[in-house]
Structures are given as structure tokens and as C-alpha cells.
Amino acid sequence: MPAYAVTTTAQRYEAIVERGAIGRLPECIPPKSGLLFVVTTDDLWALHGPRLAALLDGRAWHRITFPGGEERKRLASVEAMADRMLELGADRTSVVITFGGGIVTDLGGFLAAIFMRGIPVIQIPTTLLAQVDAAVGGKTGANLVGGKNLIGAFHQPLVVLTDPDVLGTLSEREYRAGLFEVIKCGIIRSEALFRLMKDEAPRVLAREPGAVEHMIAESVRIKCEVVSADEREGGLRKILNYGHTIGHAFEAETKYQRFLHGEAVALGMKGAAHLARLAGKCTPAVCEEILDVVNRYGPLPALNGIPVDNLLARLAKDKKTIQGSVHFVLATGIGATEVVAGLPSELVREAIASSFA
Ligand code: GLY
């Protein structure tokens, strides 16, 4: 069983990656837990709910349904869920179990982080994107009108149960969107993973079980390693934001309606690759290689009607913008990164415009 540990100053927990990992839920619930609250969406519940319900048989638990959608990943949704928990009798011994994609794991984690100033959460990610990124590492939060994940908290889970079997019902588009976060892991930290995504694209796209399990396990391993080294993003963890600075601008500019998060990250990685080339931080060959691998996992939604100037304005509101200076994670090679600030806006404009190609 591949299990990777996240070790922070306050806590140590495992991200378990294995077929059937969901079946481990009962053994992961602390013995003295009170009411359990499963945060999920109706769609996911219709597909996989009976299995989870069977695992909770004989325990006191409730389902809290989140309507889904990036536009509803808002503080108001967290408040509504907290009110519902209270009505149902939640107290400080309650445990949240998230069961869904990245929006559910982020929002459910945030709910757990602030309900009665913090109760435990078990993360069960059911999309590729949530499995390889969102559910591991304790970042939780919600969106503001002005930008993505601009409110939130670090709240590490008790355990992350990553079950590749649930991906069988994932749509082709959602699956591809998750693959871009895997590519990101390769670019920032593992040339071997990047090569796998390049050379084995047909196996990956066909969801060949061996390839899928391997890429998930590698991505989770990398994420656990990075978070353990830098839980609060004081340094190394910034590399996980590769492609996200420009990506978040695409998402916010289109009001979270046009792109799945992973698709926006793909655009952001293309922009970051061009920016690294233009800033002299990587060779044209490295830039081309990144663009080539990202393009293998397209198509991406059309970019019509998105003014580059609006995207530039959005960058100023990103969390990585400090005192007006946008911080970009750039790949200097495959598996190597540098955080760069103070780049001329003309260069950034040219990089984003090139990513439209
Ligand atoms: N998704 C980026 C991070 O967890 O730091």
C-alpha cells in the first residue's frame, strides 16, 4: 500500500493511495468521535454514496450536501453548512468527512477549520485533481469575488484516502483537467514524472490502471514531501503554485464559468513557460517541451473575449502578489524552479499573449 506521510510541527498524517482505500474509512475515524458529517455533492453521492453509507453503517452520521460549482465556493456556503451541522447536533467532537472533488475538499476542509474554531476532517478526494493536489496539504478555503481562494485556513486532515477506483466515473474533461496538476508536479519536482506524462500519454489518456496509479502515487509523494518541508508556504511550497498565478487570473476573469481549475492551470503553465523563456530563465527548448506536453492533454476551452490587459490587472490581486509585485514560479528546467518577482509588465503581457496560441 503506498502511503505517504505529511509531517508538520503539529501533526503527522498519511495520504494513502490504493485501490479500495475508501474501505479504510472506519479504521480512520477516531474512537471517541461524535457525530460525523459527510460533505459531498448530490452527483457524487448518486454514484458512490451507497458505498460510503455502508461503511458508516451503525454510526451516527449525516450528509451535508453542497450544491457544487466554483461560483458557490463561497463563505456563504460554509456558513449555511455550519448552520445545518448545528441544527443536526454537531459539537466539538464532530468530524467532517469530505467526499468529492477539489471544491468539496477545500470548502469542507474550511468548514472543519472554523466550525467551533476547528474540528477534525478526513479527506476523501474523488477527482484526479483533488487526489493529486487539493486534498493533500491542509490548504482549505473559499473564493472572493475578487479572486480564488482568497479566504481560508491551513487545516491538516487526519488522513487522506485516495482511491483510484472512484475515478472510473470521472468525465473525460474532469480527468484531463486533473492531469495538468500531475504535469505540474513533474515540471516542478520530477523529471521522471514529466517524462512519463510525455512518453506514456496514450496509456495515461486511456486510464490504463498501472499508469494512473503510478502518476497519482508520484504526485502525492511529491506533494507530501513539499508540504512537510514547508507547511505554511514560507518558501519551498510556493513551487506548488506553478501555473496558478496566471491560471487564477483566467478563472476569475471568466467568473469561474469557462475553465475547470486544471484547465486554467494548463493555460497558466503555458504562460509561465513563455515567461521563463522571455525572462531568460530557461532555454527555448525547455519552454517548447512544456508547451508540447500540456498540448498533448488538450483541448482546452476557447479563449475568445478574454482581454490580456484584464488578466494583467487580475494578477495584481493574486495571493502571490506582495506589495504590488507579482511573484511567479518559473521552471528553469524540468524539475527545477525559481520564484521571480519584479518582471516588467510588458514581458508578462507578451508571455500571456503567447499562451493564447
Ligand atoms: N495547491 C497548492 C498547495 O497546496 O500549496
Side-chain angles (χ1 to χ4, degrees):
M1 166 195 69
Y4 304 98
V6 172
T7 309
T8 68
T9 45
Q11 198 179 337
R12 181 186 188 281
Y13 64 92
E14 284 187 337
I16 296 169
V17 183
E18 69 179 356
R19 296 201 169 268
I22 290 175
R24 290 180 176 271
L25 177 60
E27 72 199 61
C28 296
I29 297 168
K32 292 195 176 138
S33 301
L35 277 176
L36 309 174
F37 292 90
V38 178
V39 176
T40 189
T41 59
D42 279 333
D43 290 356
L44 199 268
W45 196 256
L47 293 169
H48 299 286
R51 171 137 185 253
L52 202 77
L55 291 166
L56 295 175
D57 197 30
R59 295 176 189 262
W61 67 279
H62 295 282
R63 174 158 61 103
I64 304 277
T65 300
F66 167 67
E70 194 75 54
E71 69 283 4
R72 281 187 287 268
K73 189 182 168 189
R74 301 297 304 275
L75 192 55
S77 301
V78 179
E79 190 178 352
M81 291 193 284
D83 277 334
R84 184 76 188 123
M85 282 173 66
L86 209 57
E87 278 165 20
L88 291 166
D91 63 22
R92 284 183 171 155
T93 66
S94 298
V95 176
V96 170
I97 299 166
T98 68
F99 190 47
I103 296 174
V104 167
T105 59
D106 276 12
L107 212 61
F110 190 30
L111 171 67
I114 61 175
F115 187 81
M116 296 195 177
R117 298 206 179 88
I119 61 173
V121 59
I122 293 172
Q123 298 276 20
I124 309 182
T126 61
T127 61
L128 180 59
L129 187 131
Q131 293 192 343
V132 299
D133 186 55
V136 182
K139 276 191 182 175
T140 72
N143 300 333
L144 294 180
V145 174
K148 200 173 155 71
N149 297 336
L150 290 183
I151 44 172
F154 287 97
H155 188 57
Q156 300 294 346
L158 294 177
V159 66
V160 185
L161 297 176
T162 297
D163 189 342
D165 278 345
V166 293
L167 301 182
T169 52
L170 203 60
S171 72
E172 178 69 12
R173 186 178 171 199
E174 288 267 6
Y175 178 69
R176 284 177 188 253
L179 293 173
F180 294 117
E181 288 279 5
V182 177
I183 294 169
K184 177 201 80 176
C185 285
I187 295 171
I188 61 174
R189 198 86 175 157
S190 166
E191 186 164 0
L193 181 56
F194 182 81
R195 299 274 160 239
L196 175 108
M197 297 305 284
K198 180 173 179 177
D199 300 336
E200 306 287 348
R203 285 177 66 215
V204 169
L205 286 168
R207 307 192 198 191
E208 201 273 319
V212 171
E213 277 170 55
H214 181 66
M215 74 181 180
I216 294 174
E218 267 305 284
S219 303
V220 171
R221 181 188 65 74
I222 289 166
K223 179 117 196 209
C224 288
E225 188 181 285
V226 171
V227 173
S228 297
D230 174 24
E231 182 193 10
R232 299 279 165 143
E233 205 172 299
L236 182 68
R237 188 167 180 165
K238 290 183 179 142
I239 68 174
L240 296 173
N241 296 323
Y242 181 72
H244 285 57
T245 309
I246 295 171
H248 284 170
F250 273 104
E251 284 182 282
E253 183 58 25
T254 51
K255 300 190 168 51
Y256 306 103
Q257 303 284 325
R258 196 182 303 189
F259 305 105
L260 296 176
H261 175 62
E263 293 168 341
V265 169
L267 291 166
M269 292 193 294
K270 289 170 85 165
H274 283 294
L275 191 55
R277 172 182 57 79
L278 291 166
K281 296 289 179 185
C282 78
T283 61
V286 166
C287 173
E288 278 310 312
E289 203 170 17
I290 292 172
L291 299 177
D292 171 48
V293 174
V294 170
N295 288 336
R296 280 175 200 223
Y297 292 92
L300 296 168
L303 298 175
N304 54 304
I306 303 177
V308 174
D309 281 338
N310 290 16
L311 295 172
L312 280 174
R314 295 263 173 200
L315 291 180
K317 293 197 182 128
D318 192 87
K319 285 199 294 306
K320 276 87 66 189
T321 297
I322 298 166
Q323 294 174 357
S325 172
V326 187
H327 286 53
F328 291 98
V329 181
L330 300 181
T332 52
I334 304 302
T337 53
E338 190 179 320
V339 178
V340 181
L343 291 172
S345 60
E346 269 319 304
L347 215 61
V348 179
R349 183 196 307 273
E350 189 180 340
I352 295 177
S354 304
S355 74
F356 275 55

